[in-house]
Amino acid sequence: MSLIGGIRPPIAVLSALLLSLAGITALTFGKTENVLVPKAVLTSQQHFAEDGAVALRASLDESVTDLNRTAILFSEGKPVSADAVLDKTGSVYQKWSGTAVIEIKSGKLLAARGETVPLTVIDRTKLSGKDGLKPRLVRLQNGQTRLIALALLSWKGQPQQLLIASSNLKVPGMRLSESRGIGVVDSTGTILSSDGALDSERAQRELKDFATISAKKSRQNPISSKEPGSGGYAGVSGSLTGDASGDRRTVGGYASLAASEPGESTVASGLGLSIVTQVGVTERASQLARPAFGLAAAGALLVIGALAIAVLLGTVQRPLIRLFLESRRLTRGDLARPVTVPRFGEAARIGGALERLRQQLHEESPEGADGASGARGGRRLGTRALVAVSAVLLLTWSVPLTLLLNRPSSSVHIPAQVVADQKARTETISDRVRRALNEGHADLSAVAALIGNRTSADDMTAVLDRTIEEHPRYASVYVVSGDGEVLARAGHEPHHSSGERPADQPLKVSGHGGKKPVIRATAPLQGKAGAAVVGEFDIDFVNALLRRDGLGQVRVIDAKGRTIAGNSGYLAFEKMPGHLSPLVDRKQAHAKVQRGDDVRIAAAAPMTGGGVAKVLDWSVVSWQPASRLDIPAYTLQNRTVLVGLLGLTAAAACLGWLHIVVVRPLRALADQAEALADGDRRTVLFPRHHDEVGAVVRSLELIRQQLQGQQRGRDGARSLAGRN
């Protein structure tokens, strides 16, 4: 018989699976485990560090790109003095700690602004070599570290000059609580920059320890360092646990600076830097398992499983095996003893048919005389119904676990640190959007400062093409005259109506009623009355700024509560969910645990700070269901659901297997057996399965052949009698 067919394998596998599941249930819920710091808190620190790494990487890359682009724009125009270069650069971009211009050949300092730039670290003789203009990290005498970016200023007929800018390594836009510290760490574990609550010796020691661990872990491959299928942040990241003092424990997170897409590289990601954070949290004992529940659930499964297996053995397996033995007996010619007929389902129909066939072989009655006597009485409770009874028994255990038991109430405890991190991360994203819009307007201002009255349309187009290529934040960039005529453009077709004059506001939103909001940045041209450079932000660029793991749904809303951008599907200008309205405050950020049918964490942060983006009066809101958090109450629920689903899977797989290989063939066999008992001697019976059902089919075929021979013998006897 087939090892994967037949009736024994599915029932045996089901028995083994139920025993294993009972053991898993007892172990899963039977081991007492007190969680002092929920995993959700540790995961939140990892995401916080990732946010810091994204912010610092974007800031450093933007600084280097802007410096190079500024130098190119100046070099393409008429020669200007070094002071003019720094003044215009400083008026447009206010991001560098210090700037300077030197003459490369002589090394003479031509102009300087801000803090003193460390010129001695620049080897002028190697600037023309490979990586000669590559940004570098420099340690100042006061112990601080700066990123030094270099760009060439070249004019025909004049000595080449070097534009130098230094940037600090402070993580921009991060909202730090009173107990949180953050540091920028190099590949050796040295803290290059730090901020936050690091006044105590213990806090500084913890940050140094975390920095050492972070540097070691950051040297891993980003793919191999993650669990398979985890995805998420493109760099190396994780959480850290420090020492405890009383009921307070230090936890933290780390993340290496990485490009936005896996496998890519940027200036900042190639510096070997990483971000490490730390914060003190209160330990709170939370029992993750309930031993009595686990033992009771495992015991109930053993009892219910035993009943289900007993039903299958007593009403399906044993009757079928008995039919197999009885059919073999009949084929051997043992016809004296009546066939034992099962009581239920198709087995009863087949047993009745075998008994009628025995009588016909034994010639106890004429052929087919018993066709109406008793064999058809088995059409009562079918084999499918018997299998369904076993399924119902197993469902009575699995369904309550999957849908009802161990469900947290609306008063479930949510760690305060998780709520605080939701607020802080929402503020960080709000600041990131504000900075991106300010940077976009500053780029346009830099372009506008270099376009004069005599700049041709072709030259304008060349500058705009380079701007689009270097800054993917724009969907289109164009120059508009004072009377609303587009003089030059690059990128997609602009949303500009003929005769529409440039806006007076630096940033403006339009497109109401359309599929996408149109965010325009306008920078006036010098020397051209009413003319301006206009850039339309790509809304997908803004949406991408909001995509951060562990924040749930994120939306940018305007002053009227209408949606401008989001990290997932949304309708442009739709009203924000009503439950978020009480959180939105135009002056400060808020976060709250909203309780009800679905417990969720929600936060809102206004777009505060300087720059032209302030006029938009936008806010960023975020919310996520608490059930997504890895806290003890929901972990227990998830484990319960998992065990219930395992029970459903085991029942569906094994009973489905049994239905396919036994129940359906058995129903067909019952029809064939009754047809043969009713006198059908012409239909040849072919066994399709090498199992008990197939063996009974083979026996019926032998019986059919015997009955045919018997009939031929009777016909021959009648023929001889007629001749005589």
Side-chain angles (χ1 to χ4, degrees):
M1 295 182 187
S2 173
L3 294 178
I4 61 173
I7 193 170
R8 295 183 181 89
I11 297 178
V13 171
L14 179 61
S15 303
L17 289 178
L18 293 180
L19 285 174
S20 301
L21 185 57
I24 291 173
T25 303
L27 292 175
T28 299
F29 300 106
K31 180 182 178 182
T32 302
E33 182 181 354
N34 290 327
V35 178
L36 300 179
V37 179
K39 190 175 180 180
V41 175
L42 299 177
T43 303
S44 183
Q45 308 318 305
Q46 176 182 352
H47 292 327
F48 195 92
E50 291 173 356
D51 289 350
V54 169
L56 182 59
R57 189 264 305 162
S59 176
L60 296 181
D61 286 340
E62 192 75 36
S63 296
V64 174
T65 300
D66 288 341
L67 189 73
N68 290 327
R69 185 168 170 275
T70 299
I72 292 174
L73 291 176
F74 274 115
S75 298
E76 291 180 346
K78 294 182 179 181
V80 296
S81 66
D83 287 309
V85 170
L86 297 186
D87 288 339
K88 284 190 176 182
T89 301
S91 64
V92 174
Y93 300 108
Q94 302 173 2
K95 63 175 69 175
W96 292 295
S97 302
T99 55
V101 176
I102 64 172
E103 186 179 286
I104 296 178
K105 185 176 181 179
S106 64
K108 179 181 178 181
L109 177 64
L110 302 179
R113 299 290 186 274
E115 71 176 16
T116 302
V117 178
L119 302 177
T120 56
V121 301
I122 301 173
D123 189 347
R124 293 178 285 111
T125 62
K126 296 183 179 180
L127 294 177
S128 59
K130 184 180 179 181
D131 298 332
L133 296 176
K134 184 178 179 180
R136 62 211 65 187
L137 294 174
V138 175
R139 191 86 169 181
L140 303 181
Q141 292 182 353
N142 60 6
Q144 297 182 352
T145 302
R146 295 287 185 267
L147 175 68
I148 304 299
L150 310 175
L152 290 177
L153 293 170
S154 301
W155 291 287
K156 187 176 181 180
Q158 293 195 10
Q160 272 193 328
Q161 299 174 9
L162 186 65
L163 176 59
I164 309 169
S166 65
S167 302
N168 62 48
L169 298 180
K170 184 177 180 180
V171 182
M174 299 295 292
R175 299 297 189 264
L176 304 178
S177 63
E178 296 180 355
S179 61
R180 187 188 293 278
I182 189 170
V184 180
V185 182
D186 65 11
S187 58
T188 65
T190 303
I191 300 176
L192 305 180
S193 174
S194 61
D195 196 9
L198 299 171
D199 296 333
S200 67
E201 182 179 347
R202 178 174 176 270
Q204 295 176 5
R205 184 182 69 254
E206 288 278 9
L207 187 65
K208 289 181 180 179
D209 292 341
F210 284 176
T212 302
I213 299 173
S214 169
K216 181 179 179 180
K217 291 182 175 294
S218 296
R219 289 192 288 268
Q220 302 177 84
N221 184 286
I223 298 178
S224 62
S225 66
K226 292 181 171 60
E227 296 181 0
S230 61
Y233 186 64
V236 179
S237 63
S239 58
L240 301 167
T241 303
D243 297 333
S245 177
D247 63 344
R248 299 282 291 178
R249 180 176 293 276
T250 303
V251 296
Y254 64 91
S256 63
L257 271 62
S260 56
E261 296 295 333
E264 295 183 358
S265 179
T266 67
V267 171
S269 64
L271 297 175
L273 302 179
S274 59
I275 298 297
V276 61
T277 69
Q278 68 172 36
V279 66
V281 298
T282 301
E283 293 183 328
R284 182 179 184 271
S286 301
Q287 186 169 307
L288 189 61
R290 298 191 298 183
F293 175 83
L295 295 176
L301 178 59
L302 291 176
V303 173
I304 293 174
L307 289 175
I309 297 299
V311 169
L312 295 176
L313 291 176
T315 63
V316 182
Q317 177 175 304
R318 289 176 182 172
L320 179 56
I321 295 176
R322 187 179 298 117
L323 289 176
F324 162 66
L325 296 175
E326 292 286 0
S327 65
R328 289 283 297 273
R329 177 172 66 85
L330 297 183
T331 60
R332 292 195 302 267
D334 185 358
L335 305 176
R337 181 163 44 89
V339 173
T340 303
V341 180
R343 298 175 57 187
F344 301 106
E346 286 76 13
R349 294 170 55 194
I350 298 170
L354 286 176
E355 172 58 19
R356 294 161 60 200
L357 292 170
R358 183 194 70 82
Q359 294 174 2
Q360 294 171 23
L361 289 171
H362 201 249
E363 297 184 344
E364 295 180 1
S365 60
E367 179 180 341
D370 294 331
S373 59
R376 297 180 184 274
R379 292 182 182 271
R380 291 169 291 181
L381 189 63
T383 308
R384 284 190 300 185
L386 298 174
V387 174
V389 170
S390 299
V392 170
L393 287 173
L394 296 176
L395 288 178
T396 59
W397 185 86
S398 300
V399 171
L401 290 174
T402 306
L403 302 177
L404 301 175
L405 299 178
N406 286 337
R407 292 302 187 270
S409 65
S410 60
S411 60
V412 59
H413 172 72
I414 306 297
Q417 188 60 48
V418 174
V419 181
D421 289 344
Q422 184 84 11
K423 172 188 171 184
R425 297 186 65 203
T426 304
E427 287 184 275
T428 299
I429 287 185
S430 176
D431 188 80
R432 189 181 175 199
V433 174
R434 179 188 67 84
R435 289 176 181 271
L437 296 176
N438 287 343
E439 287 282 351
H441 184 269
D443 291 336
L444 296 181
S445 298
V447 173
L450 297 176
I451 295 179
N453 292 324
R454 299 181 180 179
T455 306
S456 65
D458 291 339
D459 291 338
M460 290 183 188
T461 302
V463 173
L464 299 182
D465 285 337
R466 186 183 298 111
T467 302
I468 283 285
E469 181 180 354
E470 294 176 349
H471 298 286
R473 61 166 58 96
Y474 305 111
S476 63
V477 181
Y478 48 98
V479 178
V480 183
S481 64
D483 57 3
E485 179 186 357
V486 176
L487 303 178
R489 71 179 183 86
H492 297 295
E493 185 72 24
H495 295 80
H496 178 81
S497 302
S498 179
E500 181 184 359
R501 295 183 177 181
D504 296 331
Q505 298 178 346
L507 289 174
K508 187 177 180 180
V509 181
S510 61
H512 300 276
K515 295 183 178 180
K516 291 184 178 181
V518 180
I519 307 172
R520 287 192 179 98
T522 304
L525 291 177
Q526 297 180 1
K528 285 192 175 184
V533 178
V534 181
E536 295 181 0
F537 286 91
D538 187 347
I539 195 63
D540 291 334
F541 165 78
V542 182
N543 293 338
L545 298 176
L546 310 179
R547 296 190 183 109
R548 298 300 311 133
D549 292 337
L551 268 182
Q553 301 287 322
V554 184
R555 297 286 185 270
V556 175
I557 60 172
D558 62 12
K560 296 182 180 179
R562 299 173 300 187
T563 301
I564 304 298
N567 66 341
S568 59
Y570 67 96
L571 295 176
F573 301 107
E574 68 176 346
K575 284 289 186 179
M576 67 176 174
H579 65 84
L580 297 174
S581 298
L583 287 174
V584 179
D585 187 332
R586 299 298 171 183
K587 295 182 180 180
Q588 59 181 349
H590 287 278
K592 184 180 180 181
V593 178
Q594 298 178 329
R595 302 184 184 274
D597 294 337
D598 295 322
V599 182
R600 56 178 167 256
I601 305 174
M607 200 174 292
T608 58
V612 296
K614 187 176 181 180
V615 301
L616 295 175
D617 197 18
W618 286 354
S619 296
V620 174
V621 295
S622 67
W623 70 96
Q624 63 176 321
S627 57
R628 292 185 179 181
L629 301 176
D630 198 349
I631 58 179
Y634 291 108
T635 300
L636 180 60
Q637 172 186 325
N638 294 337
R639 290 183 179 180
T640 305
V641 171
L642 177 60
V643 169
L645 290 176
L646 289 176
L648 290 174
T649 303
C654 294
L655 296 181
W657 179 10
L658 186 65
H659 183 269
I660 292 173
V661 303
V662 175
V663 176
R664 290 197 304 185
L666 197 61
R667 289 170 61 85
L669 175 59
D671 293 336
Q672 292 173 335
E674 288 181 339
L676 180 60
D678 288 340
D680 182 4
R681 304 290 185 261
R682 295 184 177 182
T683 303
V684 179
L685 305 179
F686 295 99
R688 298 183 180 180
H689 305 279
H690 297 286
D691 55 13
E692 296 89 352
V693 175
V696 175
V697 173
R698 287 194 294 272
S699 297
L700 288 176
E701 172 60 19
L702 294 176
I703 293 174
R704 184 189 70 84
Q705 295 174 7
Q706 292 177 13
L707 289 172
Q708 279 186 331
Q710 190 180 66
Q711 181 64 37
R712 285 194 294 268
R714 285 197 294 264
D715 292 343
R718 292 194 190 102
S719 177
L720 289 175
R723 291 176 183 175
N724 293 332

